[in-house]
Amino acid sequence: MTTPHLRFATFLAPSVFPVYQAITDHVGQRLGCATSLVVGESFGAFAAGEVDAGFICGLPYVDLADQAPPAVVPLAAPVLQGPRYQGRPVYFSDVVVRRDSPFRAFADLRGARWSYNDPDSHSGYSLTRYELVRRGEIRGYFGAVLAAGWHQESIRWVAEGTFDASAIDSQVLAIALRDDPALAARLRVIATFGPSTIQPVVAAARLPADVREQMRAALLSMAEDPALRAVLAAGFVERFVPVDDATYDDIRHMRDAAVSAGFLTLR
């Protein structure tokens, strides 16, 4: 082991933080090094040498990987529990509205108040842009659009009626519904986008190849340990599987379709 300390950062939903912490700890134990996990503030930290590995959305992943040279390398990605995922490293974006709202389908949302989590999110932002491009609706579809910061906040805004609808990462939505069962009586899913390749665990490309391979092996081994399997299950994760850059070509395609259409911001 040539790295005495691996610095992880998560740029994903806070509700999954305990799973990311367990992964960080496990990698350190397997590699025999110290590890730490922080909430990431800038994707530039990978190239700047401030972060060694991280949990990031597929959209910033393809942006970082398309740099010359690439800033990060994908190691592995989770397979979520449940038949809708078919044992693959994919997830969905579920469009939620208040249960008592008049909206029955995505087509009903013209002029509605739309909340998204973050412009660096595939599930909450880029995938919605792609859906509108696919429908030929690239100008002024929603009446109002506002960033909530996190999917959990978008869920709260919709449940309270502050906003009409939002596209929510299916893993985050499942955790929210489990942790607050009353939400099920307040929300309704009217559309689903996807599946898309799920968020990767990445390593900074500047790390030695042997260290990256050891990290990948540690991730792939997690489901073999009953205690770790229980931690993963708390985030609805079944196991990790290896992924490579081409695995994320679906997200590249959706990003590039929006760019080609000149639909750069969700307005």
Side-chain angles (χ1 to χ4, degrees):
M1 177 67 202
T2 58
T3 302
H5 182 197
L6 288 172
R7 299 158 299 176
F8 283 72
T10 173
F11 295 83
L12 300 179
S15 60
V16 198
F17 191 93
V19 175
Y20 304 143
Q21 184 66 66
I23 293 169
T24 301
D25 294 343
H26 174 67
V27 169
Q29 290 165 7
R30 283 291 298 263
L31 273 65
C33 69
T35 55
S36 57
L37 175 64
V38 299
V39 175
E41 297 181 356
S42 168
F43 294 111
F46 291 100
E50 299 165 358
V51 170
D52 302 307
F55 309 93
I56 67 174
C57 187
L59 178 62
Y61 163 71
V62 296
D63 288 342
L64 290 168
D66 289 352
Q67 293 177 3
V72 296
V73 174
L75 300 176
V79 172
L80 299 181
Q81 296 176 341
R84 77 187 298 197
Y85 303 106
Q86 299 182 342
R88 299 187 297 148
V90 299
Y91 71 136
F92 296 85
S93 190
D94 292 323
V95 178
V96 297
V97 299
R98 275 181 62 95
R99 184 165 292 277
D100 60 1
S101 79
F103 308 112
R104 293 291 179 269
F106 186 77
D108 298 333
L109 294 175
R110 183 184 298 278
R113 299 166 298 173
W114 181 267
S115 169
Y116 66 90
N117 57 329
D118 185 276
D120 289 317
S121 169
H122 174 70
S123 61
Y125 195 84
S126 183
L127 189 49
T128 304
R129 271 194 317 173
Y130 176 71
E131 180 65 19
L132 290 171
V133 168
R134 196 181 66 79
R135 292 169 178 261
E137 299 279 4
I138 63 171
R139 293 291 181 272
Y141 186 75
F142 299 119
V145 178
L146 187 65
W150 301 104
H151 277 303
Q152 293 94 322
E153 191 70 0
S154 286
I155 291 171
R156 185 177 69 83
W157 285 359
V158 173
E160 293 177 350
T162 305
F163 276 74
D164 296 313
S166 184
I168 307 296
D169 174 320
S170 58
Q171 180 188 20
V172 176
L173 182 59
I175 292 172
L177 291 171
R178 180 200 62 202
D179 292 348
D180 183 3
L183 271 177
R186 302 171 68 191
L187 297 176
R188 181 162 39 86
V189 175
I190 62 169
T192 295
F193 305 150
S196 302
T197 305
I198 199 167
Q199 305 99 330
V201 183
V202 301
R206 58 183 163 71
L207 286 182
D210 65 320
V211 174
R212 298 199 306 264
E213 285 307 311
Q214 290 176 64
M215 294 170 68
R216 178 180 285 113
L219 291 164
L220 301 183
S221 73
M222 288 193 72
E224 299 169 6
D225 183 318
L228 291 174
R229 200 159 56 236
V231 173
L232 294 179
F236 293 99
V237 176
E238 182 179 291
R239 66 186 188 280
F240 280 89
V241 295
V243 291
D244 59 21
D245 183 66
T247 310
Y248 291 87
D249 281 348
D250 61 327
I251 292 178
R252 266 193 192 89
H253 166 74
M254 288 182 262
R255 177 201 63 183
D256 293 348
V259 171
S260 295
F263 192 28
L264 304 182
T265 58
L266 193 59
R267 290 288 185 269

